[in-house]
Amino acid sequence: MAQTATARLEMPVARKEPQPTPERLTEIRQPFDLADEMAAAVERLGMAQNVHDMQEQGYTILRDVASLEFTEQLRETCLRLAEETEGRAKGRSAALLLGRDPIFEDVVLRPKIQALVEVMCGKGALLSQLICSIRPLGAAKLPLHADQNWLPAPFPVHNQLLTLCWACDEFTEAGGCTKVIPGTHRLRRHPNEEEVATEPGAIPTECPAGSVVVWDGSVWHGNYPRAIPGERVVLHITFSRLALRPVEDYSHLDEEWLEGKPWPLRVMLGREDFLGSTTVARGHADYTHLVRTFNWAKT
């Protein structure tokens, strides 16, 4: 789809690629001990309260990220691409969105998003997922969890994962918005079965369309069932720290090469977990391996 005038006008100016300098190991900073350049960017963008919220509560709501017209265009794009998904998720989900429409480049380059990603996941953070969901009347709630399902407790002091939800419709409890339990990021663990069932201290992240609800990898969250007519369209954006990416890429070893070889080879090449299994046609990852992946990651 051709880029619209709205998207062109709003395309943010990304920071220039840094010039080569002699590489040296830098000092280790504690979480929220921002370098001068980062602190200045936070101040310039008016995000001091957002950073404070992330530190104290584990979540925040970004406002004035883009115009309402931009959010309306984003909503329409998500709905259109969801119709290209096949099977049960058709009209309800669209995945692998970067490159499918220029508007998603604009989204991930938004200065406020870029700044918060660096604060929470460091320089060099990777785009882990860019997927939209459309929830109709009657959609069930999402149970309480922490996104750092890749890690056993206790979670690292340095946050590993950041999730952002661009609300294309007003976020209300009745509309099925995200719920969070503020402060649970300090527990550095997953909720237990009783906590998942009772959700003590959960609150709705109610906000206008165009807001971006953000939480770190440790805070407990879920969402409410949708109890009103219409659809809740949300763009989900996840970034992760660059660490633990394999040094060597073995994607050239295809299924033909693996045929007849011992199963542990499949495991060590990541062919038996759900990471990297998202397709445009499916509209999401291969969830048949979801629980296995989370369980393996926590051992």
Side-chain angles (χ1 to χ4, degrees):
M1 186 179 98
Q3 192 171 1
T4 66
T6 301
R8 283 198 300 271
L9 286 172
E10 293 203 10
M11 182 66 79
V13 177
R15 285 178 288 179
K16 293 181 179 179
E17 182 178 349
Q19 296 300 308
T21 56
E23 294 290 342
R24 61 183 179 85
L25 291 176
T26 58
E27 61 179 306
I28 299 174
R29 289 183 173 271
Q30 293 304 305
F32 300 101
D33 178 15
L34 306 183
D36 292 344
E37 180 184 2
M38 192 70 252
V42 167
E43 185 67 26
R44 183 177 68 253
L45 293 167
M47 295 177 61
Q49 185 61 49
N50 296 115
V51 172
H52 178 78
D53 290 345
M54 293 299 301
Q55 184 173 12
E56 297 299 319
Q57 305 294 330
Y59 85 102
T60 193
I61 300 176
L62 293 176
R63 303 179 190 273
D64 302 319
V65 179
S67 67
L68 185 57
E69 290 74 20
F70 180 88
T71 293
E72 291 171 348
Q73 180 189 349
L74 179 61
R75 186 182 195 276
E76 293 171 1
T77 304
C78 288
L79 289 169
R80 174 175 58 81
L81 293 179
E83 291 301 319
E84 296 180 9
T85 301
E86 301 173 5
R88 296 176 61 184
K90 182 178 178 64
R92 294 287 172 247
S93 177
L96 290 172
L97 294 175
L98 191 64
R100 296 181 65 184
D101 190 283
I103 197 169
F104 298 112
E105 301 166 39
D106 193 334
V107 165
V108 297
L109 290 174
R110 288 278 147 179
K112 287 188 176 183
I113 289 177
Q114 286 279 296
L116 200 54
V117 167
E118 184 171 330
V119 168
M120 297 305 299
C121 289
K123 291 182 179 293
L126 303 176
L127 178 63
S128 179
Q129 188 174 43
L130 190 59
I131 185 172
C132 69
S133 67
I134 297 95
R135 303 185 77 228
L137 170 65
K141 75 173 185 178
L142 182 67
L144 203 67
H145 64 285
D147 281 341
Q148 290 187 149
N149 263 308
W150 326 115
L151 302 170
F155 298 149
V157 173
H158 286 78
N159 181 60
Q160 301 294 302
L161 195 88
L162 187 71
T163 301
L164 308 95
C165 278
W166 192 305
C168 295
D169 296 287
E170 182 184 11
F171 257 25
T172 65
E173 181 174 341
C177 74
T178 299
K179 69 179 70 168
V180 298
I181 302 183
T184 46
H185 64 308
R186 297 186 184 277
L187 299 175
R188 294 171 56 199
R189 65 172 175 84
H190 304 279
N192 60 38
E193 290 186 10
E194 181 180 354
E195 290 160 338
V196 170
T198 59
E199 301 179 340
I203 61 171
T205 57
E206 295 185 315
C207 56
S211 306
V212 181
V213 181
V214 190
W215 56 89
D216 74 13
S218 299
V219 79
W220 301 353
H221 65 283
N223 63 29
Y224 295 93
R226 185 169 178 87
I228 58 176
E231 296 175 316
R232 190 208 75 167
V233 180
V234 172
L235 178 65
H236 306 264
I237 315 163
T238 305
F239 282 86
S240 61
R241 286 188 179 270
L242 63 81
L244 304 187
R245 187 167 35 152
V247 174
E248 297 180 334
D249 179 8
Y250 286 100
S251 59
H252 63 284
L253 299 178
D254 56 16
E255 288 299 312
E256 182 179 358
W257 184 86
L258 280 165
E259 186 176 357
K261 289 186 168 60
W263 190 68
L265 276 175
R266 299 187 58 84
V267 174
M268 70 179 67
L269 293 178
R271 309 298 168 83
E272 291 298 324
D273 58 50
F274 92 114
L275 297 173
S277 65
T278 300
T279 66
V280 170
R282 186 186 289 124
H284 51 70
D286 181 0
Y287 293 146
T288 60
H289 292 337
L290 180 71
V291 175
R292 169 198 285 175
T293 304
F294 287 163
N295 285 341
W296 279 356
K298 293 173 186 172
T299 57

